[in-house]
Amino acid sequence: MNREALTRRLFLQGSGTLAGSMMLRAGIPAFIAASQAACSANEELAAFDILSKAEAREIVAIAARIFPTTDSPGATEAGAVYFFDKALGSIFADMLEPARGMLAGFQAGVTPVYPGASMFSDLDESDQDDYLRSVEKTPFFQNARLMTLIGVFGMSMYGGNRDDIGWKLVGMDGPPHAWASPFGYYDAEYLAAQEQQNGE
Amino acid sequence: MANENQTQYSLDEAVDFVIIGSGSAGGIIAKELSTNGFKVVVLEQGPFRAAKDFTHDDVSVFLFEELQGGGNTNNQQTFRDDASKVAEAPQRTPAFYAQTVGGSSVHFTGNFWRLRELDFNERSLLGPISGTNFADWPISYAELEPYYTRVDWEIGISGEPGPNESFRSRPFPMPPMPIKSSGVLMERGAKKLGLNAQVEPLAILSQPLNGRPACINCGYCMGFGCEVNAKSSTLAAMIPDALASGNCEIRAECAVFRIETNDQGRADEVMYYDPDGNERSQKTKAVILSANGAETPRLLLNSASERHPDGLANSSGFVGRNLMFNSHSDVRGVFEHPLNDFKGVQVSRMVHDFYETDPARGFYGGGGIDARPFMAAYPLLFSLAGARPEGPTWGADYKQNLEHDFSRTMFLFTGGTSLALDSNNVTIDPTYKDHDDDMALAYFLQDRAFEIMQAAGATHAWRNPIQYQSQGAHLLGTCRMGDDAASSVVDKFHRSHDISNLFICDGSSMVTSGRGQPTMTIMALAFRASEHIMAAARNNEI
């Protein structure tokens, strides 16, 4: 593997790891980030360790409906699928085979309802939402939701929440997580009023 | 801080004390005894983590219960709400406590209420309650007050006196942590209702103390270890001095399974599994059991022998009985502007106007209400469990609600009394069902919290459903103290009635539950117990 390919592979697999974070802080990554943005979806999907291309495509589609891209980033931009890939080879390794079985069952239900479509990711977004609503009580959906949300909001070392997208989305700036008062609107208002009172 | 530089004692040579558990009580007693010249071995089932080992990793901490032994898949505790049922192992560990040097003082939130005078003699004030073991303590607030003060100054408590608290002999050692938006809103709501929102005392440093730094307001207190040692765990505040004394050896990852007694009926040996799973035993002149309100009675019952067929120290039959979790309920609200309550400590203000039992309410009990972000401190936890009750749990609207609500959410959390019952107990694992009065109190306090939330100006507010508790982080009452050996396990100085060199000090010693924040009291009891144990040892009275 040449150096460029190695670097790219390290980035794709480990941008959330300590090594990845250190690279980001060191400033190297403007270049790598630009390269990454230029990657085609297929090239990215080739970089998974556990998931096949087809599995990854399905998970990207499912996660994108659970936590969609709207006028703000969603599961796709957070790289939630990379959490699935990493977790199913590590912290959730014991879920890999059951998850594959459940995914197969999930996919098998698509064609009877939508003839002509063999995969969930073939459906348009409206049909995807309808189909997910029909299975939202199933263990597969519940697990997919759990993993999508960890992929958006868990620490980036697990593979998702790229660039702390999930945290920024809800108003939390990224690490180092050390703050000073005032923290929010109401305590700022309160302290300002106190200060004014003390000054008078 | 690891084991290699510690004093190491021989297994066969009796040390002065073996302390079982290194948490809120065990950590203090270890420091007190060892710095006063006694030879001490501490056996702790969890690993020896240091501040540098604590992270903000909510996946590991919340989903995998990193600090609690890896979850109930590992712990295999069972639970039932009635002794006639078959106990089963649920997904979440029923007796929820940290397994790490420092115990649950490492992962606690740090709310440090003292008990009040009435907590110690409420049975005399109110009379008996049928079907319960409601009783007075054998000590008063005045007797414990000097030790509360030691906790303030030696463990490190920030705060300022409020209108609803008992007398204190010294002021707080340091000012309160900064007020948060939730605290401001609680003050606003309370004032409109004629209530008093007062500063929450916290076991979190607002100023440096004894070489430890002030809090950096990272927000990761509840459930997490503190990476800067500003949280006043015994790991941060006591264990370093114990080790520096040269008299204390802490054996981490050593799980005790039995206390042996000799022909004279004295505890002389503690059996445990070492980190490699080998059986070991430590000879000792005396044993101090501080393993928490679930593990302490379990160990005593598991130490049954021919001489003690019902378990050690159990001639009264009170070992394991009267388990109390404290009653709880909560209300959540969303406000117009960002509170950003994920920044800073969990709680900055509380209301204690409903602390006392009011017979007019028709049930026993009282408690407090505090304002906090609760799960809105952590984006992952909030995303999993913080969706609006009437709203979607996935899709664009769900996402929009999360984006809006996370920074604008406040919880009002209630903590209150639990009654002591025979039917709530630890035999090997917990059996527990809240008393009717505990449930009535939870609903009552939730209604008051809801009124405060509305008065504070929430745009949306919800009462979270109240359920019978199947998990407790406050493990109280199971080896209660008392003057009467027929109805208590230890005397007022924590010596077991049955075995003169066996002392028990932790949440199990508490006779009543207090109003929801027991650790301050457990620590005060530990300072007091240490003093009496040392005096007895010096007088050859053990």
Side-chain angles (χ1 to χ4, degrees):
Chain A
M1 191 180 285
N2 65 34
R3 185 184 171 81
E4 188 183 349
L6 181 66
T7 308
R8 186 171 157 274
R9 186 172 171 79
L10 277 174
F11 177 75
L12 290 173
Q13 292 186 338
S15 62
T17 65
L18 183 59
S21 303
M22 286 166 69
M23 284 164 65
L24 287 170
R25 285 195 197 117
I28 295 166
F31 163 74
I32 300 177
S35 323
Q36 193 244 351
C39 289
S40 73
N42 280 341
E43 279 172 335
E44 282 205 43
L45 293 179
F48 290 102
D49 279 342
I50 300 295
L51 300 175
S52 69
K53 277 188 188 179
E55 288 168 342
R57 193 177 304 128
E58 291 289 82
I59 287 168
V60 167
I62 295 165
R65 299 319 303 152
I66 290 172
F67 205 80
T69 305
T70 53
D71 54 355
S72 59
T76 303
E77 292 74 19
V81 68
Y82 292 97
F83 166 73
F84 278 76
D85 184 56
K86 197 165 182 173
L88 289 169
S90 55
I91 55 172
F92 291 148
D94 57 345
M95 285 173 59
L96 177 60
E97 287 317 309
R100 284 198 158 127
M102 285 191 278
L103 177 62
F106 171 82
Q107 287 174 311
V110 171
T111 308
V113 185
Y114 303 99
S118 60
M119 294 177 68
F120 175 80
S121 51
D122 292 339
L123 304 177
D124 65 31
E125 289 182 353
S126 170
D127 287 344
Q128 286 179 340
D129 285 350
D130 287 344
Y131 187 61
L132 287 180
R133 265 190 288 277
S134 74
V135 299
E136 67 181 336
K137 304 288 182 212
T138 62
F140 174 75
F141 180 84
Q142 294 299 321
N143 282 318
R145 176 178 181 270
L146 170 70
M147 292 188 68
T148 299
L149 294 175
I150 301 175
V152 174
F153 293 110
M155 290 185 87
S156 57
M157 68 181 194
Y158 289 103
N161 192 9
R162 288 183 159 184
D163 300 326
D164 304 325
I165 277 177
W167 294 347
K168 289 173 187 164
L169 203 60
V170 295
M172 177 193 251
D173 297 335
H177 295 157
W179 320 104
S181 165
F183 307 122
Y185 177 89
Y186 300 97
D187 53 320
E189 186 184 57
Y190 178 94
L191 294 173
Q194 267 193 341
E195 207 167 294
Q196 198 177 3
Q197 206 173 14
N198 292 341
E200 282 168 1
Chain B
M1 251 186 320
N3 286 346
E4 60 264 22
N5 295 325
Q6 294 186 47
T7 301
Q8 294 195 340
Y9 292 111
S10 157
L11 293 175
D12 298 325
E13 196 173 326
V15 292
D16 294 321
F17 295 96
V18 167
I19 302 173
I20 303 169
S22 64
S24 299
I28 287 174
I29 298 170
K31 183 261 179 184
E32 289 295 291
L33 300 186
S34 63
T35 57
N36 281 283
F38 293 96
K39 292 181 168 58
V40 173
V41 168
V42 179
L43 297 170
E44 165 58 52
Q45 66 172 315
F48 205 143
R49 297 179 175 93
K52 66 177 173 49
D53 299 318
F54 298 126
T55 68
H56 293 178
D57 182 355
D58 40 13
V59 173
S60 179
V61 166
F62 286 126
L63 298 185
F64 291 99
E65 297 185 11
E66 174 192 347
L67 298 179
Q68 295 85 30
N72 209 30
T73 310
N74 289 344
N75 296 329
Q76 283 295 305
Q77 284 186 30
T78 64
F79 182 84
R80 56 187 172 180
D81 63 8
D82 188 295
S84 66
K85 295 182 181 173
V86 175
E88 292 179 347
Q91 192 180 359
R92 304 282 293 180
T93 307
F96 191 78
Y97 61 87
Q99 298 176 25
T100 193
V101 171
S104 293
S105 72
V106 168
H107 78 168
F108 68 16
T109 307
N111 300 305
F112 258 42
W113 308 351
R114 294 180 176 201
L115 299 190
R116 287 161 57 177
E117 285 97 330
L118 66 89
D119 284 295
F120 295 86
N121 62 352
E122 207 171 16
R123 160 70 177 76
S124 294
L125 294 171
L126 300 175
I129 299 177
S130 172
T132 75
N133 293 320
F134 186 40
D136 286 344
W137 292 52
I139 58 172
S140 66
Y141 176 83
E143 285 173 87
L144 199 55
E145 197 285 331
Y147 306 97
Y148 277 130
T149 295
R150 288 193 63 186
V151 178
D152 281 348
W153 285 81
E154 295 177 45
I155 297 286
I157 311 301
S158 57
E160 69 181 29
N164 289 305
E165 69 163 31
S166 296
F167 72 92
R168 53 177 58 247
S169 54
R170 282 182 83 182
F172 281 95
M174 62 188 77
M177 293 294 294
I179 191 167
K180 303 179 66 173
S181 279
S182 55
V184 171
L185 291 167
M186 179 179 231
E187 276 194 10
R188 187 180 295 177
K191 195 172 176 185
K192 281 187 189 162
L193 297 168
L195 303 171
N196 300 285
Q198 62 188 82
V199 167
E200 175 86 18
L202 288 170
I204 295 174
L205 302 184
S206 62
Q207 293 176 349
L209 179 76
N210 298 334
R212 295 165 47 210
C215 172
I216 60 170
N217 294 302
C218 78
Y220 284 76
C221 304
M222 186 184 72
F224 291 79
C226 179
E227 74 263 34
V228 299
N229 276 335
K231 192 199 279 188
S232 295
S233 65
T234 55
L235 176 70
M238 295 280 113
I239 302 286
D241 286 348
L243 292 179
S245 73
N247 292 319
C248 179
E249 178 184 357
I250 296 178
R251 294 187 196 148
E253 299 177 70
C254 288
V256 176
F257 62 89
R258 187 172 176 83
I259 300 167
E260 289 288 1
T261 50
N262 61 18
D263 291 342
Q264 288 74 49
R266 292 171 62 81
D268 67 343
E269 194 173 12
V270 177
M271 315 282 291
Y272 65 96
Y273 294 109
D274 74 9
D276 298 320
N278 302 309
E279 277 190 30
R280 302 284 182 211
S281 71
Q282 175 65 51
K283 292 282 188 189
T284 185
K285 296 175 188 169
V287 174
I288 299 172
L289 185 47
S290 299
N292 79 45
E295 295 300 337
T296 286
R298 190 212 303 243
L299 181 57
L300 292 171
L301 295 172
N302 279 339
S303 298
S305 62
E306 210 168 295
R307 181 188 295 273
H308 304 281
D310 299 320
L312 287 190
N314 196 24
S315 62
S316 65
F318 266 63
V319 168
R321 284 160 62 177
N322 305 316
L323 178 63
M324 296 174 286
F325 284 167
N326 290 121
S327 70
H328 296 290
S329 57
D330 64 280
V331 165
R332 55 187 291 205
V334 174
F335 289 81
E336 182 183 2
H337 300 289
L339 283 65
N340 295 336
D341 239 30
F342 58 87
K343 300 180 180 182
V345 298
Q346 276 273 322
V347 184
S348 62
R349 291 293 183 276
M350 63 183 186
V351 165
H352 269 194
D353 295 75
F354 308 107
Y355 195 96
E356 295 184 25
T357 299
D358 178 357
R361 292 180 202 144
F363 56 85
Y364 161 77
I369 303 170
D370 68 48
R372 58 170 80 189
F374 191 41
M375 65 178 80
Y378 314 116
L380 175 59
L381 196 60
F382 194 72
S383 75
L384 294 173
R388 295 182 178 204
E390 79 282 10
T393 56
W394 58 278
D397 290 343
Y398 160 73
K399 180 187 169 202
Q400 188 178 19
N401 285 344
L402 277 191
E403 286 182 68
H404 178 272
D405 292 354
F406 177 74
S407 61
R408 292 173 175 81
T409 290
M410 165 168 99
F411 281 77
L412 294 177
F413 208 74
T414 84
T417 44
S418 294
L419 276 165
L421 304 171
D422 286 337
S423 55
N424 288 344
N425 55 58
V426 173
T427 47
I428 297 301
D429 289 331
T431 300
Y432 198 89
K433 187 175 184 184
D434 297 277
H435 186 276
D436 287 348
D437 284 15
D438 303 346
M439 294 298 279
L441 174 68
Y443 282 106
F444 170 80
L445 289 175
Q446 188 181 49
D447 287 344
R448 304 293 79 73
F450 194 78
E451 289 163 3
I452 295 171
M453 188 69 85
Q454 289 184 309
T459 56
H460 297 79
W462 302 269
R463 292 173 175 86
N464 282 337
I466 298 173
Q467 297 172 328
Y468 285 105
Q469 298 181 95
S470 58
Q471 184 181 46
H474 300 169
L475 305 167
L476 313 173
T478 48
C479 291
R480 61 162 49 169
M481 52 162 46
D483 293 328
D484 177 10
S487 60
S488 60
V489 179
V490 295
D491 68 14
K492 64 196 288 188
F493 303 119
H494 298 266
R495 190 195 296 252
S496 72
H497 291 302
D498 298 350
I499 299 171
S500 63
N501 68 336
L502 173 62
F503 298 84
I504 302 168
C505 182
D506 54 22
S508 74
S509 310
M510 292 177 67
V511 181
T512 57
S513 67
R515 264 60 180 170
Q517 300 298 349
T519 313
M520 176 71 172
T521 297
I522 294 169
M523 288 187 169
L525 290 173
F527 275 116
R528 180 174 173 277
S530 302
E531 207 169 279
H532 290 287
I533 291 168
M534 287 191 291
R538 287 180 182 126
N539 293 331
N540 285 324
E541 291 171 352
I542 290 182

PDB file of all heavy atoms in Angstrom, chain B residues 511-528:
ATOM      1  N   VAL B 511     -30.655   4.514  60.111  1.00  0.00           N
ATOM      2  CA  VAL B 511     -31.900   4.004  60.686  1.00  0.00           C
ATOM      3  C   VAL B 511     -33.100   4.479  59.868  1.00  0.00           C
ATOM      4  O   VAL B 511     -34.058   3.745  59.657  1.00  0.00           O
ATOM      5  CB  VAL B 511     -32.042   4.455  62.152  1.00  0.00           C
ATOM      6  CG1 VAL B 511     -33.323   3.907  62.760  1.00  0.00           C
ATOM      7  CG2 VAL B 511     -30.826   4.008  62.950  1.00  0.00           C
ATOM      8  N   THR B 512     -33.036   5.726  59.445  1.00  0.00           N
ATOM      9  CA  THR B 512     -34.030   6.250  58.500  1.00  0.00           C
ATOM     10  C   THR B 512     -33.280   6.687  57.249  1.00  0.00           C
ATOM     11  O   THR B 512     -32.041   6.735  57.241  1.00  0.00           O
ATOM     12  CB  THR B 512     -34.816   7.434  59.096  1.00  0.00           C
ATOM     13  OG1 THR B 512     -33.877   8.451  59.492  1.00  0.00           O
ATOM     14  CG2 THR B 512     -35.618   6.994  60.313  1.00  0.00           C
ATOM     15  N   SER B 513     -34.026   7.023  56.212  1.00  0.00           N
ATOM     16  CA  SER B 513     -33.382   7.217  54.904  1.00  0.00           C
ATOM     17  C   SER B 513     -32.885   8.631  54.674  1.00  0.00           C
ATOM     18  O   SER B 513     -32.174   8.872  53.708  1.00  0.00           O
ATOM     19  CB  SER B 513     -34.381   6.873  53.805  1.00  0.00           C
ATOM     20  OG  SER B 513     -35.449   7.809  53.806  1.00  0.00           O
ATOM     21  N   GLY B 514     -33.252   9.565  55.553  1.00  0.00           N
ATOM     22  CA  GLY B 514     -33.023  10.955  55.198  1.00  0.00           C
ATOM     23  C   GLY B 514     -33.921  11.313  54.031  1.00  0.00           C
ATOM     24  O   GLY B 514     -34.837  10.556  53.674  1.00  0.00           O
ATOM     25  N   ARG B 515     -33.624  12.463  53.415  1.00  0.00           N
ATOM     26  CA  ARG B 515     -34.550  12.974  52.397  1.00  0.00           C
ATOM     27  C   ARG B 515     -34.006  12.844  50.983  1.00  0.00           C
ATOM     28  O   ARG B 515     -34.476  13.531  50.086  1.00  0.00           O
ATOM     29  CB  ARG B 515     -34.866  14.434  52.711  1.00  0.00           C
ATOM     30  CG  ARG B 515     -36.144  14.670  53.497  1.00  0.00           C
ATOM     31  CD  ARG B 515     -36.227  14.038  54.852  1.00  0.00           C
ATOM     32  NE  ARG B 515     -37.516  14.359  55.478  1.00  0.00           N
ATOM     33  CZ  ARG B 515     -37.991  13.823  56.568  1.00  0.00           C
ATOM     34  NH1 ARG B 515     -37.276  12.937  57.236  1.00  0.00           N
ATOM     35  NH2 ARG B 515     -39.177  14.159  57.041  1.00  0.00           N
ATOM     36  N   GLY B 516     -33.014  12.023  50.778  1.00  0.00           N
ATOM     37  CA  GLY B 516     -32.657  11.798  49.376  1.00  0.00           C
ATOM     38  C   GLY B 516     -31.202  11.940  49.021  1.00  0.00           C
ATOM     39  O   GLY B 516     -30.810  11.581  47.910  1.00  0.00           O
ATOM     40  N   GLN B 517     -30.379  12.461  49.906  1.00  0.00           N
ATOM     41  CA  GLN B 517     -28.965  12.591  49.579  1.00  0.00           C
ATOM     42  C   GLN B 517     -28.149  12.063  50.759  1.00  0.00           C
ATOM     43  O   GLN B 517     -27.762  12.809  51.655  1.00  0.00           O
ATOM     44  CB  GLN B 517     -28.600  14.057  49.273  1.00  0.00           C
ATOM     45  CG  GLN B 517     -29.371  14.657  48.107  1.00  0.00           C
ATOM     46  CD  GLN B 517     -29.119  13.959  46.777  1.00  0.00           C
ATOM     47  OE1 GLN B 517     -28.210  13.138  46.652  1.00  0.00           O
ATOM     48  NE2 GLN B 517     -29.912  14.263  45.764  1.00  0.00           N
ATOM     49  N   PRO B 518     -27.860  10.789  50.813  1.00  0.00           N
ATOM     50  CA  PRO B 518     -27.317  10.188  52.036  1.00  0.00           C
ATOM     51  C   PRO B 518     -25.796  10.261  52.216  1.00  0.00           C
ATOM     52  O   PRO B 518     -25.304  10.016  53.321  1.00  0.00           O
ATOM     53  CB  PRO B 518     -27.736   8.718  51.894  1.00  0.00           C
ATOM     54  CG  PRO B 518     -27.781   8.472  50.415  1.00  0.00           C
ATOM     55  CD  PRO B 518     -28.211   9.780  49.801  1.00  0.00           C
ATOM     56  N   THR B 519     -25.040  10.594  51.165  1.00  0.00           N
ATOM     57  CA  THR B 519     -23.593  10.367  51.262  1.00  0.00           C
ATOM     58  C   THR B 519     -22.915  11.269  52.286  1.00  0.00           C
ATOM     59  O   THR B 519     -21.977  10.854  52.972  1.00  0.00           O
ATOM     60  CB  THR B 519     -22.921  10.532  49.883  1.00  0.00           C
ATOM     61  OG1 THR B 519     -23.682   9.798  48.925  1.00  0.00           O
ATOM     62  CG2 THR B 519     -21.514  10.000  49.906  1.00  0.00           C
ATOM     63  N   MET B 520     -23.396  12.500  52.403  1.00  0.00           N
ATOM     64  CA  MET B 520     -22.837  13.405  53.415  1.00  0.00           C
ATOM     65  C   MET B 520     -22.928  12.753  54.799  1.00  0.00           C
ATOM     66  O   MET B 520     -21.980  12.811  55.597  1.00  0.00           O
ATOM     67  CB  MET B 520     -23.631  14.725  53.389  1.00  0.00           C
ATOM     68  CG  MET B 520     -23.255  15.733  54.440  1.00  0.00           C
ATOM     69  SD  MET B 520     -21.643  16.419  54.069  1.00  0.00           S
ATOM     70  CE  MET B 520     -21.485  17.731  55.247  1.00  0.00           C
ATOM     71  N   THR B 521     -24.055  12.117  55.065  1.00  0.00           N
ATOM     72  CA  THR B 521     -24.256  11.474  56.370  1.00  0.00           C
ATOM     73  C   THR B 521     -23.384  10.232  56.507  1.00  0.00           C
ATOM     74  O   THR B 521     -22.808   9.984  57.583  1.00  0.00           O
ATOM     75  CB  THR B 521     -25.746  11.147  56.556  1.00  0.00           C
ATOM     76  OG1 THR B 521     -26.475  12.379  56.564  1.00  0.00           O
ATOM     77  CG2 THR B 521     -26.001  10.385  57.843  1.00  0.00           C
ATOM     78  N   ILE B 522     -23.257   9.453  55.439  1.00  0.00           N
ATOM     79  CA  ILE B 522     -22.401   8.260  55.505  1.00  0.00           C
ATOM     80  C   ILE B 522     -20.962   8.682  55.823  1.00  0.00           C
ATOM     81  O   ILE B 522     -20.272   8.052  56.636  1.00  0.00           O
ATOM     82  CB  ILE B 522     -22.466   7.478  54.167  1.00  0.00           C
ATOM     83  CG1 ILE B 522     -23.882   6.904  53.967  1.00  0.00           C
ATOM     84  CG2 ILE B 522     -21.426   6.368  54.133  1.00  0.00           C
ATOM     85  CD1 ILE B 522     -24.141   6.340  52.579  1.00  0.00           C
ATOM     86  N   MET B 523     -20.518   9.770  55.212  1.00  0.00           N
ATOM     87  CA  MET B 523     -19.151  10.234  55.470  1.00  0.00           C
ATOM     88  C   MET B 523     -18.991  10.747  56.903  1.00  0.00           C
ATOM     89  O   MET B 523     -17.977  10.485  57.559  1.00  0.00           O
ATOM     90  CB  MET B 523     -18.758  11.311  54.466  1.00  0.00           C
ATOM     91  CG  MET B 523     -18.509  10.766  53.066  1.00  0.00           C
ATOM     92  SD  MET B 523     -17.851  12.050  51.977  1.00  0.00           S
ATOM     93  CE  MET B 523     -17.339  11.065  50.559  1.00  0.00           C
ATOM     94  N   ALA B 524     -19.995  11.471  57.386  1.00  0.00           N
ATOM     95  CA  ALA B 524     -19.923  11.965  58.773  1.00  0.00           C
ATOM     96  C   ALA B 524     -19.902  10.791  59.747  1.00  0.00           C
ATOM     97  O   ALA B 524     -19.129  10.784  60.718  1.00  0.00           O
ATOM     98  CB  ALA B 524     -21.107  12.892  59.062  1.00  0.00           C
ATOM     99  N   LEU B 525     -20.729   9.789  59.485  1.00  0.00           N
ATOM    100  CA  LEU B 525     -20.723   8.593  60.341  1.00  0.00           C
ATOM    101  C   LEU B 525     -19.345   7.934  60.332  1.00  0.00           C
ATOM    102  O   LEU B 525     -18.874   7.424  61.358  1.00  0.00           O
ATOM    103  CB  LEU B 525     -21.780   7.587  59.857  1.00  0.00           C
ATOM    104  CG  LEU B 525     -23.252   7.964  60.072  1.00  0.00           C
ATOM    105  CD1 LEU B 525     -24.160   6.934  59.376  1.00  0.00           C
ATOM    106  CD2 LEU B 525     -23.606   8.049  61.566  1.00  0.00           C
ATOM    107  N   ALA B 526     -18.695   7.939  59.176  1.00  0.00           N
ATOM    108  CA  ALA B 526     -17.382   7.288  59.065  1.00  0.00           C
ATOM    109  C   ALA B 526     -16.324   8.022  59.896  1.00  0.00           C
ATOM    110  O   ALA B 526     -15.490   7.383  60.554  1.00  0.00           O
ATOM    111  CB  ALA B 526     -16.965   7.214  57.601  1.00  0.00           C
ATOM    112  N   PHE B 527     -16.350   9.352  59.870  1.00  0.00           N
ATOM    113  CA  PHE B 527     -15.399  10.096  60.726  1.00  0.00           C
ATOM    114  C   PHE B 527     -15.664   9.796  62.207  1.00  0.00           C
ATOM    115  O   PHE B 527     -14.737   9.593  62.987  1.00  0.00           O
ATOM    116  CB  PHE B 527     -15.522  11.610  60.483  1.00  0.00           C
ATOM    117  CG  PHE B 527     -14.700  12.107  59.324  1.00  0.00           C
ATOM    118  CD1 PHE B 527     -15.297  12.651  58.198  1.00  0.00           C
ATOM    119  CD2 PHE B 527     -13.307  12.049  59.352  1.00  0.00           C
ATOM    120  CE1 PHE B 527     -14.538  13.117  57.130  1.00  0.00           C
ATOM    121  CE2 PHE B 527     -12.538  12.514  58.291  1.00  0.00           C
ATOM    122  CZ  PHE B 527     -13.158  13.048  57.174  1.00  0.00           C
ATOM    123  N   ARG B 528     -16.949   9.777  62.536  1.00  0.00           N
ATOM    124  CA  ARG B 528     -17.304   9.521  63.948  1.00  0.00           C
ATOM    125  C   ARG B 528     -16.929   8.096  64.347  1.00  0.00           C
ATOM    126  O   ARG B 528     -16.347   7.874  65.420  1.00  0.00           O
ATOM    127  CB  ARG B 528     -18.804   9.759  64.137  1.00  0.00           C
ATOM    128  CG  ARG B 528     -19.301   9.535  65.554  1.00  0.00           C
ATOM    129  CD  ARG B 528     -20.781   9.927  65.682  1.00  0.00           C
ATOM    130  NE  ARG B 528     -21.286   9.565  66.995  1.00  0.00           N
ATOM    131  CZ  ARG B 528     -21.722   8.347  67.329  1.00  0.00           C
ATOM    132  NH1 ARG B 528     -21.692   7.373  66.432  1.00  0.00           N
ATOM    133  NH2 ARG B 528     -22.168   8.107  68.548  1.00  0.00           N
TER     134      ARG B 528
END
